[in-house]
């Protein structure tokens, strides 16, 4: 689905309002709810280059989302702010990746009574379903080309090596923040 900015006329010109809602991810399918960072980038670049738009308003209500695509969206917001004012309004939730992109605006506003703003961080989870598989009489075998290729595979125990690998991935992703 395409993300279009809504143009709002004001006394000083027009404001392009770009909705950033739900989980942020590079691509949003027809069955998913959220915002595509690719589509948001396109909307922001269109608004930044439109001579009839005097400012850009990011309307944010998002828990954050995928690391992939967030840095690019943040860079486009920062670039747009060098061309015209960019404001972010966090209605109810602006956490993690959503807070990161909001921080690239010239000013950030929030619904002071109810908004949750912040919570920068990276998280990942693994479920150890090996006991459940064993109780069902299922024996899972792994065949792989690398030590960590089957990390998180259903029905296998989560080893200390798997845990260390996942923690390293989370720590590496956190460096972007």
């Amino acid at each position: 689905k395409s993300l279009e900015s809504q143009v709002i006329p004001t006394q000083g010109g027009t404001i392009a309002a770009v909705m950033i809602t739900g989980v942020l991810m590079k691509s949003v399918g027809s069955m998913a709810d959220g915002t595509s960072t690719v589509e948001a980038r396109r909307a922001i670049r269109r608004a930044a280059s439109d001579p009839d738009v005097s400012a850009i308003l990011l309307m944010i209500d998002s828990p954050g989302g995928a690391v992939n695509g967030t840095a690019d969206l943040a860079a486009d917001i920062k670039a747009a702010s060098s061309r015209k004012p960019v404001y972010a309004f966090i209605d109810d939730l602006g956490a993690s990746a959503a807070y990161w992109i909001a921080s690239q605006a010239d000013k950030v506003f929030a619904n002071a009574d109810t908004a949750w703003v912040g919570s920068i961080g990276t998280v990942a989870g693994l479920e150890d379903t090996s006991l459940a598989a064993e109780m069902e009489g299922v024996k899972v075998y792994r065949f792989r080309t690398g030590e960590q290729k089957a990390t998180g595979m259903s029905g296998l125990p989560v080893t200390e090596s798997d845990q260390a690998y996942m923690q390293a991935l989370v720590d590496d992703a956190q460096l972007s923040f």
Side-chain angles (χ1 to χ4, degrees):
K1 53 190 168 180
S2 178
L3 180 69
E4 293 293 328
S5 58
Q6 177 184 6
V7 177
I8 303 167
T10 67
Q11 287 182 338
T14 56
I15 297 172
V18 179
M19 303 299 291
I20 310 280
T21 60
V23 176
L24 299 173
M25 59 195 98
K26 276 188 115 168
S27 198
V28 178
S30 61
M31 299 299 286
D33 184 28
T35 297
S36 160
T37 57
V38 172
E39 290 298 322
R41 290 176 65 205
R42 288 180 185 145
I44 289 162
R45 288 192 309 259
R46 276 193 305 270
S49 64
D50 186 338
D52 294 330
V53 171
S54 56
I56 300 169
L57 175 62
L58 307 175
M59 301 290 294
I60 299 173
D61 188 3
S62 169
V67 172
N68 300 356
T70 302
D72 295 331
L73 177 54
D76 277 349
I77 292 168
K78 191 67 168 173
S81 74
S82 71
R83 299 178 75 178
K84 54 187 70 176
V86 177
Y87 305 104
F89 175 73
I90 297 172
D91 192 9
D92 289 324
L93 182 59
S96 203
Y99 184 58
W100 180 4
I101 65 169
S103 74
Q104 300 308 296
D106 297 307
K107 288 189 179 185
V108 179
F109 302 91
N111 179 345
D113 293 335
T114 61
W116 288 6
V117 180
S119 184
I120 298 253
T122 308
V123 64
L126 282 179
E127 291 183 2
D128 186 335
T129 59
S130 59
L131 183 58
E134 184 180 323
M135 290 174 63
E136 290 292 322
V138 175
K139 178 78 174 158
V140 178
Y141 298 91
R142 77 175 97 192
F143 304 94
R144 58 190 176 192
T145 57
E147 177 63 29
Q148 300 307 145
K149 275 312 266 189
T151 297
M153 187 173 157
S154 182
L156 292 176
V158 177
T159 66
E160 286 184 18
S161 175
D162 293 336
Q163 292 174 42
Y165 175 69
M166 289 301 294
Q167 186 61 56
L169 289 177
V170 169
D171 291 345
D172 185 54
Q174 180 63 23
L175 294 175
S176 297
F177 284 98

